[in-house]
Amino acid sequence: MHDVEILREVGKLHAENLDQSFLSTLGASFLFLMYRAIDECESAVLLVETRELGVVGFVSGAESMSLIYRQMLRHWPQLIRSLLPSLLNPVRVWRILEILLHSRHEANSGGLPSFELLSIAVDPEYRGQGVSERLYEGLINHCKAFRKSAFKIIVGEALLPAHRFYGRMGAGVVGEVCVHGDQRSVIYVQLVN
């Protein structure tokens, strides 16, 4: 388990570097709670790379987002406080509901692996130094240790650097999905040998 300050830094790194994701719009407080839930959940993993000044990168993966959302509810007063500004925005409320509905149907995913790479981010100052590759390999090793034969990755269609990275790491495209209306995402599967 990581300490609270590390989890806050992970949430901040997500907000600043995965800013095209809807979750970033929910704010650093929500992201801190999400990463704390991932860290606490037995069927999830949060791998972090640090330097003297703090977190420089992280990767997270989980068997089920539903379990993570349930874990977040254990800290419901903080969750409500973190979501309050978003709950006053009808568009955000709708997108939150879309995510929750999508996570309820994730178990019926057409033969895809149940374990999923949820997020990976590296501080821009440390890109090109092998951090993302080490984190990704760490997730592969985690899956090997827990006898997972593969994991899936869902990537927004427009995120070209992410597509290049996953292809370079050996993940293969297996399909597409729309989570938010007509916004397409590509589904990759990474085999774990």
Side-chain angles (χ1 to χ4, degrees):
M1 298 264 298
H2 297 92
D3 69 37
V4 170
E5 190 51 42
I6 294 286
L7 297 172
R8 287 192 197 289
E9 288 183 43
V10 167
K12 184 178 178 216
L13 190 62
H14 179 131
E16 293 172 352
N17 293 280
L18 301 176
D19 57 351
Q20 293 181 342
S21 76
F22 171 69
L23 291 177
S24 290
T25 68
L26 300 178
S29 294
F30 172 83
L31 291 168
F32 158 71
L33 294 171
M34 184 183 80
Y35 285 110
R36 179 172 67 183
I38 289 169
D39 201 39
E40 294 171 345
C41 190
E42 288 183 21
S43 63
V45 63
L46 175 64
L47 304 174
V48 178
E49 187 161 325
T50 60
R51 297 286 191 283
E52 314 76 48
L53 298 176
V55 174
V56 298
F58 71 89
V59 64
S60 66
E63 194 71 37
S64 166
M65 278 306 295
S66 297
L67 295 174
I68 292 166
Y69 296 144
R70 278 191 224 131
Q71 184 70 27
M72 290 176 77
L73 287 173
R74 292 183 180 191
H75 308 284
W76 64 269
Q78 287 177 291
L79 181 61
I80 290 171
R81 270 195 309 275
S82 74
L83 284 175
L84 195 55
S86 295
L87 295 176
L88 301 174
N89 180 324
V91 172
R92 284 191 187 160
V93 169
W94 176 248
R95 293 191 78 183
I96 290 168
L97 290 173
E98 284 180 320
I99 289 172
L100 292 173
L101 288 171
H102 178 73
S103 70
R104 288 191 72 196
H105 299 292
E106 68 188 356
N108 184 16
S109 58
L112 291 172
S114 57
F115 197 83
E116 179 178 355
L117 183 155
L118 301 173
S119 56
I120 185 169
V122 175
D123 184 307
E125 288 186 37
Y126 293 89
R127 291 184 188 157
Q129 298 178 26
V131 176
S132 57
E133 290 82 357
R134 284 191 298 279
L135 290 166
Y136 195 86
E137 288 295 330
L139 187 64
I140 289 173
N141 291 334
H142 172 84
C143 288
K144 285 179 186 176
F146 285 88
R147 301 182 202 271
K148 308 264 179 232
S149 61
F151 59 86
K152 66 185 170 200
I153 311 157
I154 300 175
V155 184
E157 189 175 53
L159 300 174
L160 298 179
H163 293 285
R164 286 191 295 271
F165 174 75
Y166 295 125
R168 192 175 77 239
M169 297 305 291
V173 175
V174 296
E176 291 183 348
V177 66
C178 290
V179 178
H180 298 294
D182 61 353
Q183 293 181 2
R184 295 171 106 66
S185 292
V186 177
I187 303 171
Y188 287 85
V189 168
Q190 175 68 59
L191 297 178
V192 176
N193 298 328

